Amino acid sequence: MVSNIVYQNGLFLEESRVKISLSDSAFLWGAGFFETLRVSQGVAVFLEDHLDRLFGSLKELQLTPPVSRIRLKFLVYETLNLNHLKEAVLRIWVSFDSGSLREMDLQKARPSLIISCKPFEAFPRELYQEGVACVVVKDFFSNAGKLASYKTNSYFNSVIAKQKAKQENAFEALLTNALGNITEGATSNIFVIHQAKLLTPSLSDGVLAGISRQKILDLAKDLDLEVQEKSLLLEDLFEAEEVFLSSSLKHVLAVSEVDGKKIGNPGVGAWTQKISEAYLEKIQWYVEQVLSDQSGLGQE
């Protein structure tokens, strides 16, 4: 079996040869950043948006990027090319190696970069046709304050929440904040359709600003659907006509029940279907634009 090729700090290595230092901040404290991207037709979808979030987080925290933005884009596509992948899941990890188990000053540490990709495995089609079950995990709160705006390696909370969801035969775990407001899924953002309005939890409630989340908010306005970002309670989900999830890998996925209670009518709601189709069209448009630009560069 041929090992995947992974980029790590200036080298392209077989996955089995990648080594993580014991003094790496992500290993020690979960202190690092990552981005997960869907690759379609050889194109890293919404790459610019993911890099905006990554480099924006590093700048806000006054941390040194491991490479320039242009260099990182090149390394992303070189990793894909070396793995001969057109349909893939690509991940970018940034962490910091202090060289000491005691040193916690990331600004003095050496930045580290890993890029990996693996073949994309689509979720079963019936999930998109029938919707998925979710459960609210009340013991594990979403991140609070500024930390919620960063996509960090501190994912243990979501991992345990997801595990609890699986124990209850649910697809996704929904998290709340300390006030009891619904914030997001363990690996997704959440949306509600109620009285011809699209509602989604406010970022100030402790929500990650998902790339897909923002695309959907923009698309909803294009569809003349009123959008509100506001605090949501569990009752708001039960009263909704439609509820759906979003993420870079799931795209738009209808929710059929929450905590064993059915949401709306059976199947995928009309607005969820419209938004899903518009989102997929947005991805295809993006892919075609990138492929067109790449073709033009090749002819120069």
Side-chain angles (χ1 to χ4, degrees):
M1 180 177 179
V2 178
S3 176
N4 283 1
I5 301 299
V6 175
Y7 173 86
Q8 183 180 32
N9 298 328
L11 298 173
F12 287 100
L13 306 167
E14 290 187 357
E15 186 177 11
S16 60
R17 294 180 58 200
V18 174
K19 307 297 181 184
I20 304 297
S21 169
L22 291 178
S23 55
D24 186 277
S25 64
F27 174 78
L28 285 175
W29 313 299
F33 305 89
F34 79 99
E35 294 289 334
T36 301
L37 293 81
R38 171 75 164 94
V39 176
S40 178
Q41 301 171 59
V43 173
V45 176
F46 304 140
L47 176 58
E48 290 79 6
D49 298 274
H50 285 277
L51 295 185
D52 283 345
R53 182 167 62 184
L54 176 60
F55 279 85
S57 298
L58 292 169
K59 183 177 181 180
E60 285 186 35
L61 297 175
Q62 299 181 324
L63 299 174
T64 303
V67 295
S68 71
R69 183 183 177 116
I70 293 176
R71 176 67 175 167
L72 183 48
K73 289 179 69 173
F74 167 79
L75 292 172
V76 162
Y77 279 101
E78 187 66 10
T79 303
L80 287 172
N81 291 335
L82 289 173
N83 285 283
H84 307 291
L85 288 175
K86 295 293 185 181
E87 304 296 324
V89 176
L90 183 134
R91 287 194 170 92
I92 302 169
W93 283 279
V94 174
S95 57
F96 300 86
D97 193 340
S98 66
S100 168
L101 295 177
R102 297 175 296 177
E103 185 62 69
M104 295 186 70
D105 188 349
L106 298 186
Q107 293 182 353
K108 295 181 180 178
R110 182 177 69 254
S112 176
L113 172 65
I114 294 177
I115 305 171
S116 71
C117 59
K118 291 189 176 182
F120 174 70
E121 297 181 10
F123 291 96
R125 182 175 298 179
E126 57 264 26
L127 296 185
Y128 293 93
Q129 297 171 336
E130 302 170 6
V132 298
C134 298
V135 293
V136 178
V137 180
K138 299 178 181 179
D139 298 334
F140 293 84
F141 299 135
S142 59
N143 288 325
K146 190 63 177 177
L147 184 61
S149 64
Y150 304 125
K151 193 168 180 68
T152 73
N153 289 23
S154 303
Y155 235 58
F156 194 57
N157 195 46
S158 294
V159 170
I160 297 299
K162 195 80 170 180
Q163 181 175 305
K164 287 181 173 292
K166 289 182 178 179
Q167 291 170 352
E168 298 188 38
N169 295 317
F171 177 84
E172 177 66 301
L174 302 181
L175 304 176
T176 66
N177 60 19
L179 298 176
N181 298 326
I182 298 293
T183 55
E184 57 191 356
T187 58
S188 58
N189 287 113
I190 187 166
F191 297 83
V192 166
I193 300 289
H194 184 54
Q195 296 180 346
K197 296 178 183 178
L198 178 68
L199 312 177
T200 195
S202 171
L203 296 180
S204 61
D205 277 342
V207 175
L208 176 69
I211 304 301
S212 298
R213 175 185 184 274
Q214 187 58 53
K215 300 297 181 187
I216 288 168
L217 293 178
D218 294 339
L219 287 170
K221 295 173 184 177
D222 293 339
L223 294 169
D224 294 325
L225 180 60
E226 184 179 341
V227 172
Q228 289 186 7
E229 298 181 56
K230 55 177 290 186
S231 297
L232 295 178
L233 297 172
L234 180 58
E235 288 74 19
D236 293 314
L237 274 60
F238 294 146
E239 294 173 0
E241 291 88 54
E242 304 173 40
V243 175
F244 64 87
L245 308 172
S246 76
S247 75
S248 294
L249 301 185
K250 299 179 187 70
H251 297 163
V252 174
L253 188 55
V255 173
S256 60
E257 64 178 68
V258 176
D259 284 352
K261 296 182 180 180
K262 299 296 182 181
I263 301 295
N265 296 318
V268 179
W271 275 114
T272 300
Q273 187 65 38
K274 287 181 182 179
I275 293 171
S276 176
E277 291 172 357
Y279 183 78
L280 292 174
E281 288 175 2
K282 180 72 173 178
I283 290 176
Q284 185 59 30
W285 177 88
Y286 178 88
V287 168
E288 290 176 1
Q289 287 293 112
V290 173
L291 292 175
S292 177
D293 291 343
Q294 291 175 348
S295 176
L297 288 173
Q299 295 173 0
E300 292 181 358

